[in-house]
Amino acid sequence: MMMKHAIGQPVPRQEDPVLVQGQGRYTDDFNEPGQAYAVMVRSRYAHGIIRGIDAAAALAMPGVLAVYTAKDLTEYGPILSIIPFNNPDGKPMPQVGRPALAADKVRYVGDPVAVVVAETRAQARDAAEAVEVDIDPLPSATDAKAALAPGAAEIWDHAPGNQILDYHFGDADGVAKAFAAAAHVTRLSIVNNRVVISSLEPRGAIASYDAAAAKWTMRMGTQGAFGMREQLRKILNTTADKMRVLTGNVGGSFGMKGASFPEYPPLLHAARALGRPVKWVDERSESFLSDHHGRGTENTVEAAFDKDGKILALRLTGYATPGAYLASVAPMSGTRGIMQNLIGVYATPLIEASIKVAYTNTSPLGPYRGAGRPEANYFMERLIETAAAEMKKDPIELRRINHVKPEAMPHKTPATTVYDSGEFTTVLNKALDLADWKGFEARAAESKRRGKLRGRGIGNYLEVTAPPMNEMGGIRFNEDGTVTIITGTLDYGQGHWTPFAQVLSDRLGVPFDKVRILQGDSDKLIAGGGTGGSKSIMASGAAIIEASAKVVEAGKQIAAQVLETAAADIEFGAGRFTIAGTDRGIGIMELAEKLRTGLKLPEGVPATLDVDHVFKAAPSAFPNGCHIAEVEVDPETGIVEVVKYSMVNDFGTVVNPLLVEGQAHGGVAQGIGQALMERVVYDPETGQPLTGSYVDYALPRAADTPTGFAVAYHSVPAKTNPLGAKGCGEAGCAGALPAVMNALVDALKPLGIKHIDMPATPEKVWAAIQGARG
């Protein structure tokens, strides 16, 4: 009989009763005794030379404690991109690092130039308005093409012509020969629109300093306390024992809160200089400028096919930007991230990618739910649909003949990846049945009677997850009879507690309701890759499995003493240590209780069941699936509605299908947002953002998503991690972008429209329809 908390069961999230009652503790819910408040002074120009900063008036205002500028922070290091890249000549991508506060120039609207600290937030805000920043404006460039054009104003001295990287990967000669020999070539230019990340909880932090211990503490929203501590202590030029990061509940991140930001060093400096805690919380109007943005590339994708429709080669060219500064993992998302995922589920002998990366006078870009994966799948699936139309082939059959077959696993791709498992054609076939593909014509006819155009689209995706990094799997048997899992991943909406407890209960038989989780205190961690890249259950799940094995090994030795037998005779199962061949035994929780009450043990026998373990890095996994969307288009208004959505996913071992389905829903909603409504827009002349609030920037709401999702699984366990999991957090976006946009083009196909770029806003769709009608 399946236990209700076993792996594979839809156990409700244990966090939810606290969170839905408003009892969660987010950064702004914490306050330290005697804390002051900080407000940032930001540039109102996209590009310009700083001639001077006059803080005299601000310092004279009531409650103001200090105003800090770049000259006050010279002892600290810069913020660096953490992923190196080389140019084709072998020279590394130049990187000078981002200063916390701009010293010589401002490089985008919102660039911080000073920090005001006061007794109250209102006083700090008023004083920030009084700081006078003298800036000589310079011309600006807001997209990579404009920044690379002759005569464009140079943003950084170390990047002449604004180019920072000429990214190239692949066999250029081989690809050229394949295209020359191809029976058919399909080419498509695609805009991957820049989006605001817009986490529900804005960023914030409280910095404090213990002078006696010479130690900083930062309470903040992060994606991993261990990794954030490492970033901050390097900026502070200090050691790990002198920096502590604490993270409570986190209201979303999607990749953004994994990085250090320029607000953090001034807060830490102020806490030490003033001898009191300093709190800063971003306002939503600021977060549109100060948070990293996502996506934002322009690309041309090409595919060469033989006479039977098999792919011979892929070629990707285009432009990307890290924004005004290199930060986080930039420019990974727009280069390697897209290249590695472009192949998707298709057997592709050759690939070439050439991306020019240029600084622009815009907010920095960072990873956003997929970091290259959703857009790569979007490119490929639009390419497949376009090629099928050009070659007059059934797009479903074109997919099938190009799928990597199960018997080809492990399958090495030309993008440096090795697929370990997957049954892509089976997943596609199951999705077609789930979506009632054959019943579409009747639904389209019904839509037509209401004056609507109906279309259907496929998103047959595969994504390369981030490789699990070293991850802690600590287990503590507590005085109160509970058991704590200590992990370096961090829950910012995923619901880690429940699936981690399911894994622990499965391995050790610990009662589910006795399991607790600790994940937001860097002082308690010995390793931690953080949460990101859809790797948490693979990393923490594996760490818990391996740590559990160590608990069992220690428990056998301890139980042997209690049961008066040899450790070699002890067996473990269903939470009990027993003497082989007998019914004599002791439960793991009872054994832990005996240890707490002073069990006497001989020398050499472990004195505790507690374990500190580090799971070593494993390869990436390859979640895949097939999403099918149906949309209705109102030709008189251009409004697009997603009216039906079905998906079959292969996430390997699914620990908790209820949570996995929720992750898929969220990813699909964000995919719909990018496909149909979201886009950051800058004035090309002044560099001013024109979408700086929710008045001008549209996010999807419940009414913009289908009333229900049909969800099914075809799980082929991964062979590269002990749990067999493949990750699920970002797959919804990867399937949604192509499914929705292919459905829209299918709806508009009778009008002769072959492609439309994201976001397909009503205005854009209406204009395309009017143009097609002549």
Side-chain angles (χ1 to χ4, degrees), residues 340-578:
Q340 283 194 320
N341 290 272
L342 184 63
I343 290 169
V345 295
Y346 305 111
T348 305
L350 294 162
I351 186 172
E352 181 191 7
S354 298
I355 309 290
K356 293 188 181 300
V357 181
Y359 283 121
T360 55
N361 296 115
T362 62
S363 296
L365 279 92
Y368 169 67
R369 204 161 192 171
R373 286 129 67 178
E375 47 264 55
N377 281 280
Y378 167 57
F379 296 170
M380 190 66 196
E381 288 297 278
R382 285 294 303 125
L383 202 58
I384 287 285
E385 287 288 333
T386 304
E390 292 174 351
M391 293 187 288
K392 295 182 170 52
K393 290 182 178 291
D394 181 346
I396 294 173
E397 287 307 312
L398 188 60
R399 287 179 169 89
R400 286 174 176 149
I401 66 171
N402 281 291
H403 277 159
V404 177
K405 304 300 186 286
E407 57 270 23
M409 302 294 179
H411 174 74
K412 186 175 182 180
T413 78
T416 73
T417 52
V418 179
Y419 299 171
D420 64 287
S421 60
E423 298 174 359
F424 308 142
T425 301
T426 300
V427 168
L428 170 61
N429 293 340
K430 284 189 172 183
L432 294 172
D433 290 341
L434 184 67
D436 185 24
W437 189 263
K438 294 179 181 178
F440 172 77
E441 297 303 332
R443 295 191 293 275
E446 193 278 330
S447 296
K448 185 176 181 180
R449 286 193 290 272
R450 292 185 286 107
K452 303 290 183 68
L453 304 172
R454 193 178 187 110
R456 58 184 174 180
I458 294 174
N460 200 179
Y461 76 90
L462 176 144
E463 55 173 5
V464 184
T465 69
M469 295 173 269
N470 290 355
E471 191 55 73
M472 183 174 177
I475 299 175
R476 298 283 186 276
F477 289 80
N478 305 316
E479 290 293 329
D480 62 358
T482 60
V483 180
T484 296
I485 298 169
I486 305 175
T487 174
T489 58
L490 202 142
D491 178 359
Y492 49 88
Q494 294 86 350
H496 285 175
W497 181 359
T498 303
F500 291 1
Q502 287 176 261
V503 174
L504 186 69
S505 295
D506 177 81
R507 291 295 160 142
L508 291 183
V510 172
F512 179 84
D513 61 357
K514 295 292 186 181
V515 181
R516 305 292 181 263
I517 188 168
L518 190 159
Q519 55 185 342
D521 184 346
S522 65
D523 274 5
K524 299 294 188 348
L525 301 172
I526 57 173
T531 293
S534 298
K535 67 179 187 298
S536 291
I537 196 62
M538 294 185 288
S540 288
I544 293 167
I545 287 172
E546 292 182 351
S548 296
K550 290 192 170 189
V551 171
V552 169
E553 182 57 34
K556 285 181 177 180
Q557 297 179 58
I558 301 167
Q561 298 299 315
V562 175
L563 300 173
E564 299 179 335
T565 188
D569 294 332
I570 298 294
E571 296 178 340
F572 180 78
R576 284 183 61 78
F577 296 95
T578 57

Side-chain angles (χ1 to χ4, degrees), residues 283-355:
E283 295 187 357
R284 184 62 67 181
S285 58
E286 282 187 281
S287 67
F288 268 80
L289 306 174
S290 64
D291 289 351
H292 294 160
H293 293 170
R295 314 290 194 235
T297 63
E298 294 183 45
N299 298 92
T300 297
V301 287
E302 303 169 89
F305 296 87
D306 69 11
K307 60 181 178 59
D308 297 318
K310 288 193 174 182
I311 298 170
L312 299 174
L314 294 175
R315 185 158 54 202
L316 170 74
T317 56
Y319 299 88
T321 177
Y325 297 94
L326 277 173
S328 185
V329 296
M332 185 274 293
S333 299
T335 55
R336 188 186 304 159
I338 293 178
M339 179 279 297
Q340 283 194 320
N341 290 272
L342 184 63
I343 290 169
V345 295
Y346 305 111
T348 305
L350 294 162
I351 186 172
E352 181 191 7
S354 298
I355 309 290

